[in-house]
Amino acid sequence: MTRSIYVAAPEVQTGWSVIAVGIINALTREVSTVGVFRPLVHSEDAHDGFLDALLAQPGVTSTYEESVGATYDAAMHDRDEAMATIVARYGAMKDRFDAVVIVGTNYNEATSASELSLNAQIAVNLNAPVCLAVSTKDRTPDAVEHVARNAMDEFRRHHAQVIAVMGTRVTADNRAGMLEALGKLGVLAAALEEDPVVRSPSLADQIAAVEATVMTGSPEQLARESQGGLVAAMTLPHVLDRLFEEATVIVASDRTELIPGLVMAHRSGAFPQLAGIVLTGGYEVPASIQRLMDTVNHRLPIARTDLGTYSTATRIGNLQGVHTSTPRKIEIMRRIFDEQVDARALLDAMAVERTGVRTPLMFEYQLNEMARRQKRRIVLPESGDDRILESASIVLRRGSADIVLLGNPTSVKLQASGLGLSLEGAEIVDLDDPELIKRFATKYAELRAAKGVTYEQAVAKMKDPSYFGTMMVYLGLADGMVSGAVNTTANTIRPSLEFVKTKPGVKVVSSSFLMCMADHVDVYGDCAVNPDPTAEQLADIAIGCADTARIFGIEPRVAMLSYSTGTSGSGADVDKVREATELVRQRDPELKVDGPIQFDAAIDPTVGKKKMPGSAVAGQATVFVFPDLNTGNNTYKAVQRSSGAVAVGPVLQGLNKPVNDLSRGALVDDIVNTIAITAIQAQHS
């Protein structure tokens, strides 16, 4: 049965997009398929921008065509006919989805009173409970309660059920009072603080608003949010004193002597990073200034408009951002909702039940959710790679880990700015910091004294970002490290083996892949590290994989794989697996483990019952331990490519503190997931 919820507001500019995005995000963690429905849109020809943004959210699988009801014009002309169209179109699409988020009207076409009534009628006809959004901006808690109560009364008058009321545009100072006021209404209440970034326009929005022509700046740079305009109508020293982070500096185009100074300030790292520069008045940039700028790789967006300074500043000052326009905003909205709304209580009120299904998207969300519960500090030594910076920016927005980047702070900030990325909240540690080099080298020389390492040799080692980052982990300055986007696997792991060392009782570092199938997650190991493990090493690998499974919420049922099942075969390779299985049973008597067992018997219940009757693992294995690297590496890639499974990893196992290796071809999503995995491992270290 499809579960639905109708998100509505009683007025314009409520800031309710955070609720719609948050509910979609919460649903995709619990059910397999989510649809979005917009009962009324402005035009049959032009797309609804808000609906397009919601349909682009991960996990939403409805198409634009099936997500649209009727037009505002149709509703104003003949409400009954429009309602029939809305009900018919909703009925045609809803059964394809486990849950549907219905997004109400935006109050651009009618008075608040009549449109509120229309929303109530739509909600009733679609048999959808209502989540009501109420703006708290410029209102006392009593006033917010009054507005919410009146809106609830209107919905109830039409027999619509309101299950939640959420205050939006809340400040940190008034949140407690708003929660108390909304709590008197007898339904689930929440108060969502407003993040300034969410309402900030992008530089591209500002440029469009002032009808400017872009002179420099890539699409990524233009997508960066601006925190406001600053009119530079004074000499450079005074302008520099007034700069703020992500400012759009408005400069009269006959004051081009200011441009080099602003660009240098942006590049220096000693001043705030700017969103861009808008030149007013339409004058051409002098050739000498242009020549100077061409020689400086500043990457700062500069645009020119024919409008005057006053008109430009006014338009930019009055511009509000589109809430769903950038990934940064989306992540912030998800985080706000997750932190400030009891999502489980809301889904329970919708009668949405957790399914036994675990899709790759669900698993990804669960990773970030687990990481956020006990935030850990992860060091990324390869800050020169654009993928690392983009991944760091995403992790910071999601709040799944605290990030430490290694590199020259000015260079890192400038590189991020050029990519249109925000690294707000990240710590950037200079690899040339003399105090840290001395401290780290002294400790390394002490730890490796038996190997004859001198202090001078230790200093040279600490110039290597992998060694520097690993030492931060060893000394507790970071909880884990992720590397390998640039460095080899050997370069990433070697420092850990030298001084982080393995856990007590573990003699070998191994790896596993979290294999996200269409409806569940399995663990495969070892597929990346050990070429031909001994029986004892294979037992280490099996126990390590079982521990990894538990950490990520997978009940371990361990299949020790071989080319024969049970006692049907013999030979050195089978005997090794049989011995390893017995060692695992001795070390962890409570663990469900069986072997030797063939892959088909491990995964297929029918085959499992036939080949190994009575086994607690056969036909229902969740952890697959391969006898050697050749078999494991080829199998995980074959399954990945043939079934469309998402392989997350490799996850390194057995170290005292988590250090994880990336493929040099890793995508940004891979890096983000690996950071979350490392943070979760650190919670259990």
Side-chain angles (χ1 to χ4, degrees), residues 150-161:
N150 285 345
M152 290 177 67
D153 288 343
E154 181 65 18
F155 275 95
R156 288 167 177 163
R157 190 172 71 83
H158 291 279
H159 309 290
Q161 180 190 12

Side-chain angles (χ1 to χ4, degrees), residues 231 250-252 280-281 307-314:
V231 177
I250 302 166
V251 182
T280 65
L307 296 177
T309 299
Y310 177 79
S311 297
T312 300
T314 300

Side-chain angles (χ1 to χ4, degrees), residues 380 382-383 385-393 405 485 662 671:
L380 308 177
E382 301 165 318
S383 64
D385 191 291
D386 289 353
R387 294 168 297 167
I388 295 295
L389 295 185
E390 187 175 351
S391 301
S393 181
L405 292 162
L662 299 166
I671 300 170

Side-chain angles (χ1 to χ4, degrees), residues 3 8 28 43 82 138 149 205 209 213 219 232 238 349 407 447 454 512 584 608 626 632 638 643 645 679 684:
R3 306 297 183 184
T28 53
S43 171
D138 300 326
R149 195 177 293 279
D205 294 332
T213 301
H238 294 127
L447 294 170
T454 65
S512 62
V584 173
F626 297 92
S643 71
H684 296 81

Side-chain angles (χ1 to χ4, degrees), residues 622-639:
T622 58
V623 177
F624 299 81
V625 179
F626 297 92
D628 54 61
L629 184 60
N630 183 51
T631 307
N633 190 270
N634 278 294
T635 302
Y636 104 79
K637 287 179 179 176
V639 171

